[in-house]
Amino acid sequence: MYVVKSPLSDADLKTVSQALQGALVDLVDLALVAKQVHWNVVGPRFRSVHLQLDEVVDVARAHSDTVAERASALGVSPDGRATTVASASGIGAVQAGWVKDTDAVGSLVTALGAAITRMRERVSATGDADPVTQDIFIGITADLEKHHWMFQAENV
């Protein structure tokens, strides 16, 4: 059931809604992964990594809201429920318990890399279907790539 009628064709709406839902799930999971690592990081670089992780959480949460609201604007109900995120995310799991600072950085490099790969696929998928959504994905990808670079530089 559509409460809001999208200006997109049915075919374009299907493409865009799948991309938006996938992005929402990945961003919610990225925020959860970064927060889990944030709570458990230990080591000589604790403080800097701890604070950097919160930056990723803030970015992921802000972008997840933008993505969910874009879906709503197009008449698609966003689904950020825990069960949906757990079953559909492409981010991957992080270890339980304390995480050494170098391992924490490595985990974020991996998580961000996965999110970026999937986001770039969404950029390509939405170009013709909805350039507005594509533009949102381009901005998200730029922010994620910035954090990816910064975390990679931590472990050189």
Side-chain angles (χ1 to χ4, degrees):
M1 171 177 89
Y2 290 106
V3 176
V4 176
K5 177 65 178 136
S6 172
L8 302 178
S9 70
D10 288 344
D12 287 347
L13 182 60
K14 180 179 180 184
T15 298
V16 172
S17 65
Q18 288 172 345
L20 287 164
Q21 180 58 39
L24 176 62
V25 163
D26 284 353
L27 289 165
V28 169
D29 198 25
L30 180 61
L32 292 170
V33 163
K35 201 50 135 166
Q36 177 66 25
V37 175
H38 165 89
W39 292 324
N40 288 283
V41 66
V42 294
R45 296 181 302 158
F46 163 79
R47 182 159 173 73
S48 64
V49 173
H50 183 78
L51 295 173
Q52 192 175 1
L53 287 161
D54 262 347
E55 292 174 10
V56 173
V57 171
D58 291 345
V59 164
R61 286 179 177 167
H63 284 312
S64 66
D65 193 52
T66 299
V67 165
E69 288 180 358
R70 179 64 184 157
S72 294
L74 294 175
V76 177
S77 175
D79 187 354
R81 296 173 300 156
T83 56
T84 303
V85 172
S87 67
S89 175
I91 301 301
V94 293
Q95 71 182 55
W98 302 115
V99 183
K100 186 167 173 22
D101 53 4
T102 54
D103 294 337
V105 169
S107 291
L108 260 290
V109 168
T110 300
L112 286 161
I116 290 164
T117 297
R118 289 167 55 103
M119 202 61 68
R120 284 185 163 275
E121 291 168 359
R122 294 177 187 110
V123 168
S124 296
T126 56
D128 291 333
D130 183 25
V132 175
T133 298
Q134 182 192 45
D135 186 56
I136 291 168
F137 290 153
I138 290 169
I140 293 168
T141 303
D143 283 348
L144 296 179
E145 287 178 348
K146 177 182 172 187
H147 287 287
H148 191 237
W149 154 58
M150 290 182 173
F151 273 103
Q152 288 180 78
E154 288 276 341
N155 272 353
V156 174

